Amino acid sequence: MGTENDTRISEFLLLGFSEDPEQQPLIFGLFLSMYLVTVLGNLLIILATISDSHLHTPMYFFLSNLSFVDMCFTSTTIPKMLVNIQTQSNVIGFKSCIAQMHFFLLFSVVDIFLLTIMAYDRFVSICHPLHYTVIMKPWFCVWLVLVSWVVSMSHALLQSLLMLLLSFCTDVEIPHFFCELNQVVHRACSDTFLNDVVIYFATVLLAGCPLAGILYSYSKIVSSIRAISSAQGKYKAFSTCASHLSVVSLFYGTSLGVYLSSAVTPNSRSTATASVMYSVVTPMLNPFIYSLRNKDIKNALRRLCDKEKL
């Protein structure tokens, strides 16, 4: 048992994107820039929704929560990678790896749930406008967010506890820039059947079912928009959900691409490169997508800037 316990606290090696020393400054500068843009952009969305009374609605309540989660999402991976590049060390301890994996799973699932809730919000707003204020009451919105956090925490805790049951015989090289669940599990030297089963069912329940809910919501939304007689009415209805649909497509499209590529080449660094799209690029682009296509957010940000000048 002593030997087995020692292997559980062994160090992992995060191989990242490249071992070429000449490329490290470029990678460091690129990811530092993206991280700062992500934090600043999402922070501005949060400040705008809090400071402007016009944005105290369910849609912007969910958007501010999404921005907060996106900041946390990227903060679980990018700072550690930047530290590794700066210190020229790609080592991460077992406990640190489990912690990083835990919070990455937590925030990614909350992200998925919030996108689903926002799709439901748009569905109620467009398909049942007369009942919107009755259905989307403040307590109900808070309850939806709380349930998302509780379910996500339970899932992340379960995956973390199952990881503690595994044994790792030697220091393990992970061809990724963070401790990704599948990559770590498949480098264990003990049986991973239970882990694989839980990962499979969790993916179906926590990613597949929300996606089905989003697709159902938008199928109803499209039907309702088609029933609108005026072209201006159709455009106004579609514009309220275009930003959300763009974010959903970006998040799910890149996530699906990553897992398909990892199934073909599980030990390739191309998986790490592809995962940058949903773990870094998507959270960075979300504030731009929502602000560029949203007059309310633009006006709130303008008023916020004017307050700062005064």
Side-chain angles (χ1 to χ4, degrees):
M1 284 297 292
T3 304
E4 189 175 283
N5 286 337
D6 289 341
T7 60
R8 290 180 182 174
I9 59 172
S10 62
E11 295 176 334
F12 293 90
L13 299 177
L14 297 174
L15 300 183
F17 302 101
S18 172
E19 294 180 2
D20 186 356
E22 294 182 357
Q23 294 184 4
Q24 299 308 306
L26 176 62
I27 295 173
F28 181 87
L30 177 63
F31 278 86
L32 178 60
S33 301
M34 288 194 293
Y35 180 65
L36 293 176
V37 170
T38 300
V39 172
L40 180 61
N42 284 289
L43 188 59
L44 284 174
I45 294 291
I46 294 172
L47 292 175
T49 54
I50 292 175
S51 63
D52 197 316
S53 59
H54 296 92
L55 301 184
H56 293 173
T57 63
M59 181 176 73
Y60 294 110
F61 170 71
F62 298 135
L63 177 58
S64 62
N65 276 272
L66 181 68
S67 294
F68 172 74
V69 172
D70 280 342
M71 284 196 299
C72 298
F73 190 41
T74 53
S75 296
T76 60
T77 57
I78 302 304
K80 174 60 179 173
M81 187 192 75
L82 295 176
V83 169
N84 285 356
I85 294 175
Q86 191 67 22
T87 59
Q88 299 181 353
S89 171
N90 56 0
V91 173
I92 184 170
F94 181 79
K95 291 181 180 179
S96 298
C97 185
I98 295 297
Q100 186 184 64
M101 185 187 69
H102 174 89
F103 286 108
F104 184 84
L105 290 171
L106 168 63
F107 295 125
S108 61
V109 174
V110 174
D111 215 322
I112 291 172
F113 282 158
L114 286 174
L115 290 174
T116 308
I117 293 170
M118 292 171 76
Y120 175 72
D121 175 75
R122 293 299 83 207
F123 161 73
V124 176
S125 175
I126 294 174
C127 300
H128 305 283
L130 299 179
H131 299 93
Y132 181 77
T133 55
V134 176
I135 296 174
M136 303 303 293
K137 292 182 177 180
W139 68 265
F140 182 62
C141 297
V142 173
W143 181 81
L144 288 173
V145 173
L146 286 177
V147 169
S148 300
W149 278 97
V150 170
V151 173
S152 302
M153 287 178 181
S154 302
H155 167 250
L157 182 60
L158 175 62
Q159 296 286 10
S160 301
L161 291 175
L162 288 175
M163 185 66 67
L164 294 175
L165 299 177
L166 299 177
S167 298
F168 298 87
C169 301
T170 59
D171 288 341
V172 180
E173 292 185 345
I174 301 175
H176 219 294
F177 65 96
F178 67 93
C179 289
E180 198 271 333
L181 178 62
N182 281 312
Q183 296 283 354
V184 178
V185 167
H186 293 145
R187 275 150 185 81
C189 59
S190 56
D191 183 32
T192 62
F193 175 76
L194 180 60
N195 300 74
D196 291 333
V197 170
V198 172
I199 290 172
Y200 174 79
F201 280 105
T203 302
V204 173
L205 291 175
L206 303 179
C209 291
L211 178 59
I214 292 172
L215 293 176
Y216 174 80
S217 296
Y218 274 103
S219 67
K220 293 296 183 180
I221 288 172
V222 169
S223 299
S224 296
I225 291 176
R226 290 179 62 185
I228 299 174
S229 56
S230 66
Q232 185 178 0
K234 288 182 178 181
Y235 175 78
K236 184 178 179 180
F238 180 75
S239 63
T240 61
C241 54
S243 298
H244 176 261
L245 188 58
S246 301
V247 171
V248 169
S249 302
L250 189 61
F251 183 85
Y252 269 99
T254 53
S255 300
L256 183 62
V258 167
Y259 284 100
L260 287 176
S261 65
S262 64
V264 177
T265 55
N267 297 318
S268 173
R269 279 180 171 166
S270 61
T271 303
T273 305
S275 66
V276 171
M277 289 301 298
Y278 78 88
S279 63
V280 182
V281 176
T282 300
M284 181 184 68
L285 292 180
N286 283 357
F288 295 100
I289 294 173
Y290 280 106
S291 61
L292 290 176
R293 300 183 61 89
N294 192 306
K295 291 182 180 179
D296 293 333
I297 291 289
K298 285 181 180 179
N299 293 332
L301 289 173
R302 194 175 294 113
R303 284 191 286 268
L304 183 63
C305 293
D306 291 339
K307 288 181 182 179
E308 292 297 325
K309 290 178 181 178
L310 295 175

PDB file of all heavy atoms in Angstrom, residues 160-177:
ATOM      1  N   SER A 160     -13.556  13.576  -9.348  1.00  0.00           N
ATOM      2  CA  SER A 160     -12.320  13.738  -8.569  1.00  0.00           C
ATOM      3  C   SER A 160     -12.110  12.565  -7.626  1.00  0.00           C
ATOM      4  O   SER A 160     -10.989  12.058  -7.479  1.00  0.00           O
ATOM      5  CB  SER A 160     -12.362  15.047  -7.775  1.00  0.00           C
ATOM      6  OG  SER A 160     -12.503  16.155  -8.636  1.00  0.00           O
ATOM      7  N   LEU A 161     -13.181  12.122  -6.970  1.00  0.00           N
ATOM      8  CA  LEU A 161     -13.077  10.988  -6.043  1.00  0.00           C
ATOM      9  C   LEU A 161     -12.730   9.699  -6.786  1.00  0.00           C
ATOM     10  O   LEU A 161     -11.932   8.885  -6.294  1.00  0.00           O
ATOM     11  CB  LEU A 161     -14.393  10.813  -5.280  1.00  0.00           C
ATOM     12  CG  LEU A 161     -14.735  11.920  -4.277  1.00  0.00           C
ATOM     13  CD1 LEU A 161     -16.119  11.693  -3.675  1.00  0.00           C
ATOM     14  CD2 LEU A 161     -13.684  11.998  -3.175  1.00  0.00           C
ATOM     15  N   LEU A 162     -13.308   9.513  -7.965  1.00  0.00           N
ATOM     16  CA  LEU A 162     -12.983   8.329  -8.765  1.00  0.00           C
ATOM     17  C   LEU A 162     -11.526   8.365  -9.224  1.00  0.00           C
ATOM     18  O   LEU A 162     -10.880   7.313  -9.334  1.00  0.00           O
ATOM     19  CB  LEU A 162     -13.908   8.237  -9.982  1.00  0.00           C
ATOM     20  CG  LEU A 162     -15.361   7.850  -9.700  1.00  0.00           C
ATOM     21  CD1 LEU A 162     -16.194   7.917 -10.969  1.00  0.00           C
ATOM     22  CD2 LEU A 162     -15.443   6.451  -9.089  1.00  0.00           C
ATOM     23  N   MET A 163     -11.015   9.559  -9.475  1.00  0.00           N
ATOM     24  CA  MET A 163      -9.619   9.691  -9.882  1.00  0.00           C
ATOM     25  C   MET A 163      -8.687   9.263  -8.750  1.00  0.00           C
ATOM     26  O   MET A 163      -7.608   8.695  -8.993  1.00  0.00           O
ATOM     27  CB  MET A 163      -9.340  11.141 -10.287  1.00  0.00           C
ATOM     28  CG  MET A 163      -7.955  11.377 -10.848  1.00  0.00           C
ATOM     29  SD  MET A 163      -7.692  10.531 -12.426  1.00  0.00           S
ATOM     30  CE  MET A 163      -8.830  11.438 -13.457  1.00  0.00           C
ATOM     31  N   LEU A 164      -9.098   9.516  -7.510  1.00  0.00           N
ATOM     32  CA  LEU A 164      -8.264   9.152  -6.360  1.00  0.00           C
ATOM     33  C   LEU A 164      -8.151   7.646  -6.185  1.00  0.00           C
ATOM     34  O   LEU A 164      -7.247   7.166  -5.491  1.00  0.00           O
ATOM     35  CB  LEU A 164      -8.844   9.775  -5.081  1.00  0.00           C
ATOM     36  CG  LEU A 164      -8.803  11.304  -4.997  1.00  0.00           C
ATOM     37  CD1 LEU A 164      -9.521  11.780  -3.755  1.00  0.00           C
ATOM     38  CD2 LEU A 164      -7.365  11.816  -5.023  1.00  0.00           C
ATOM     39  N   LEU A 165      -9.059   6.882  -6.804  1.00  0.00           N
ATOM     40  CA  LEU A 165      -9.011   5.423  -6.711  1.00  0.00           C
ATOM     41  C   LEU A 165      -7.995   4.817  -7.669  1.00  0.00           C
ATOM     42  O   LEU A 165      -7.645   3.641  -7.538  1.00  0.00           O
ATOM     43  CB  LEU A 165     -10.402   4.834  -7.010  1.00  0.00           C
ATOM     44  CG  LEU A 165     -11.544   5.253  -6.079  1.00  0.00           C
ATOM     45  CD1 LEU A 165     -12.850   4.637  -6.554  1.00  0.00           C
ATOM     46  CD2 LEU A 165     -11.247   4.839  -4.644  1.00  0.00           C
ATOM     47  N   LEU A 166      -7.518   5.602  -8.634  1.00  0.00           N
ATOM     48  CA  LEU A 166      -6.586   5.099  -9.635  1.00  0.00           C
ATOM     49  C   LEU A 166      -5.155   5.140  -9.116  1.00  0.00           C
ATOM     50  O   LEU A 166      -4.809   5.921  -8.232  1.00  0.00           O
ATOM     51  CB  LEU A 166      -6.684   5.923 -10.921  1.00  0.00           C
ATOM     52  CG  LEU A 166      -8.046   5.916 -11.635  1.00  0.00           C
ATOM     53  CD1 LEU A 166      -7.997   6.827 -12.853  1.00  0.00           C
ATOM     54  CD2 LEU A 166      -8.458   4.508 -12.025  1.00  0.00           C
ATOM     55  N   SER A 167      -4.328   4.286  -9.682  1.00  0.00           N
ATOM     56  CA  SER A 167      -2.900   4.256  -9.362  1.00  0.00           C
ATOM     57  C   SER A 167      -2.100   4.583 -10.620  1.00  0.00           C
ATOM     58  O   SER A 167      -2.460   4.167 -11.725  1.00  0.00           O
ATOM     59  CB  SER A 167      -2.488   2.875  -8.840  1.00  0.00           C
ATOM     60  OG  SER A 167      -3.168   2.568  -7.657  1.00  0.00           O
ATOM     61  N   PHE A 168      -1.015   5.332 -10.421  1.00  0.00           N
ATOM     62  CA  PHE A 168      -0.139   5.704 -11.531  1.00  0.00           C
ATOM     63  C   PHE A 168       1.257   5.194 -11.211  1.00  0.00           C
ATOM     64  O   PHE A 168       1.847   5.560 -10.189  1.00  0.00           O
ATOM     65  CB  PHE A 168      -0.150   7.224 -11.717  1.00  0.00           C
ATOM     66  CG  PHE A 168      -1.505   7.781 -12.074  1.00  0.00           C
ATOM     67  CD1 PHE A 168      -2.408   8.131 -11.079  1.00  0.00           C
ATOM     68  CD2 PHE A 168      -1.888   7.916 -13.389  1.00  0.00           C
ATOM     69  CE1 PHE A 168      -3.658   8.630 -11.386  1.00  0.00           C
ATOM     70  CE2 PHE A 168      -3.139   8.418 -13.717  1.00  0.00           C
ATOM     71  CZ  PHE A 168      -4.028   8.775 -12.713  1.00  0.00           C
ATOM     72  N   CYS A 169       1.766   4.341 -12.083  1.00  0.00           N
ATOM     73  CA  CYS A 169       2.992   3.608 -11.792  1.00  0.00           C
ATOM     74  C   CYS A 169       4.247   4.467 -11.892  1.00  0.00           C
ATOM     75  O   CYS A 169       5.211   4.246 -11.171  1.00  0.00           O
ATOM     76  CB  CYS A 169       3.114   2.411 -12.739  1.00  0.00           C
ATOM     77  SG  CYS A 169       1.704   1.275 -12.601  1.00  0.00           S
ATOM     78  N   THR A 170       4.259   5.398 -12.796  1.00  0.00           N
ATOM     79  CA  THR A 170       5.448   6.243 -12.991  1.00  0.00           C
ATOM     80  C   THR A 170       5.005   7.677 -13.209  1.00  0.00           C
ATOM     81  O   THR A 170       3.813   7.963 -13.315  1.00  0.00           O
ATOM     82  CB  THR A 170       6.254   5.779 -14.214  1.00  0.00           C
ATOM     83  OG1 THR A 170       5.406   5.836 -15.375  1.00  0.00           O
ATOM     84  CG2 THR A 170       6.769   4.355 -14.027  1.00  0.00           C
ATOM     85  N   ASP A 171       5.967   8.580 -13.285  1.00  0.00           N
ATOM     86  CA  ASP A 171       5.645   9.952 -13.683  1.00  0.00           C
ATOM     87  C   ASP A 171       5.064   9.923 -15.084  1.00  0.00           C
ATOM     88  O   ASP A 171       5.653   9.334 -15.998  1.00  0.00           O
ATOM     89  CB  ASP A 171       6.887  10.824 -13.628  1.00  0.00           C
ATOM     90  CG  ASP A 171       7.317  11.113 -12.207  1.00  0.00           C
ATOM     91  OD1 ASP A 171       6.500  10.964 -11.290  1.00  0.00           O
ATOM     92  OD2 ASP A 171       8.486  11.486 -12.037  1.00  0.00           O
ATOM     93  N   VAL A 172       3.940  10.566 -15.265  1.00  0.00           N
ATOM     94  CA  VAL A 172       3.188  10.434 -16.512  1.00  0.00           C
ATOM     95  C   VAL A 172       3.261  11.714 -17.324  1.00  0.00           C
ATOM     96  O   VAL A 172       3.098  12.816 -16.797  1.00  0.00           O
ATOM     97  CB  VAL A 172       1.713  10.095 -16.201  1.00  0.00           C
ATOM     98  CG1 VAL A 172       0.918   9.957 -17.493  1.00  0.00           C
ATOM     99  CG2 VAL A 172       1.616   8.821 -15.385  1.00  0.00           C
ATOM    100  N   GLU A 173       3.508  11.555 -18.619  1.00  0.00           N
ATOM    101  CA  GLU A 173       3.499  12.694 -19.536  1.00  0.00           C
ATOM    102  C   GLU A 173       2.102  12.869 -20.109  1.00  0.00           C
ATOM    103  O   GLU A 173       1.511  11.931 -20.655  1.00  0.00           O
ATOM    104  CB  GLU A 173       4.507  12.477 -20.665  1.00  0.00           C
ATOM    105  CG  GLU A 173       5.960  12.504 -20.213  1.00  0.00           C
ATOM    106  CD  GLU A 173       6.921  12.402 -21.383  1.00  0.00           C
ATOM    107  OE1 GLU A 173       6.477  12.020 -22.492  1.00  0.00           O
ATOM    108  OE2 GLU A 173       8.108  12.718 -21.197  1.00  0.00           O
ATOM    109  N   ILE A 174       1.568  14.080 -19.986  1.00  0.00           N
ATOM    110  CA  ILE A 174       0.240  14.395 -20.505  1.00  0.00           C
ATOM    111  C   ILE A 174       0.402  15.349 -21.685  1.00  0.00           C
ATOM    112  O   ILE A 174       0.873  16.480 -21.501  1.00  0.00           O
ATOM    113  CB  ILE A 174      -0.641  15.047 -19.421  1.00  0.00           C
ATOM    114  CG1 ILE A 174      -0.776  14.107 -18.213  1.00  0.00           C
ATOM    115  CG2 ILE A 174      -2.017  15.400 -19.971  1.00  0.00           C
ATOM    116  CD1 ILE A 174      -1.524  14.715 -17.051  1.00  0.00           C
ATOM    117  N   PRO A 175       0.039  14.937 -22.898  1.00  0.00           N
ATOM    118  CA  PRO A 175       0.208  15.802 -24.072  1.00  0.00           C
ATOM    119  C   PRO A 175      -0.865  16.886 -24.134  1.00  0.00           C
ATOM    120  O   PRO A 175      -1.666  16.958 -25.067  1.00  0.00           O
ATOM    121  CB  PRO A 175       0.092  14.817 -25.242  1.00  0.00           C
ATOM    122  CG  PRO A 175      -0.812  13.752 -24.722  1.00  0.00           C
ATOM    123  CD  PRO A 175      -0.515  13.627 -23.249  1.00  0.00           C
ATOM    124  N   HIS A 176      -0.885  17.724 -23.123  1.00  0.00           N
ATOM    125  CA  HIS A 176      -1.903  18.764 -22.999  1.00  0.00           C
ATOM    126  C   HIS A 176      -1.320  19.911 -22.191  1.00  0.00           C
ATOM    127  O   HIS A 176      -0.251  19.771 -21.589  1.00  0.00           O
ATOM    128  CB  HIS A 176      -3.147  18.205 -22.301  1.00  0.00           C
ATOM    129  CG  HIS A 176      -4.436  18.709 -22.883  1.00  0.00           C
ATOM    130  ND1 HIS A 176      -4.809  20.029 -22.805  1.00  0.00           N
ATOM    131  CD2 HIS A 176      -5.447  18.069 -23.535  1.00  0.00           C
ATOM    132  CE1 HIS A 176      -5.989  20.186 -23.393  1.00  0.00           C
ATOM    133  NE2 HIS A 176      -6.397  19.007 -23.846  1.00  0.00           N
ATOM    134  N   PHE A 177      -2.037  21.061 -22.161  1.00  0.00           N
ATOM    135  CA  PHE A 177      -1.538  22.181 -21.365  1.00  0.00           C
ATOM    136  C   PHE A 177      -2.244  22.271 -20.012  1.00  0.00           C
ATOM    137  O   PHE A 177      -1.972  23.165 -19.221  1.00  0.00           O
ATOM    138  CB  PHE A 177      -1.650  23.504 -22.130  1.00  0.00           C
ATOM    139  CG  PHE A 177      -3.068  23.947 -22.420  1.00  0.00           C
ATOM    140  CD1 PHE A 177      -3.712  24.843 -21.581  1.00  0.00           C
ATOM    141  CD2 PHE A 177      -3.733  23.485 -23.540  1.00  0.00           C
ATOM    142  CE1 PHE A 177      -5.003  25.258 -21.849  1.00  0.00           C
ATOM    143  CE2 PHE A 177      -5.026  23.898 -23.819  1.00  0.00           C
ATOM    144  CZ  PHE A 177      -5.668  24.785 -22.975  1.00  0.00           C
TER     145      PHE A 177
END
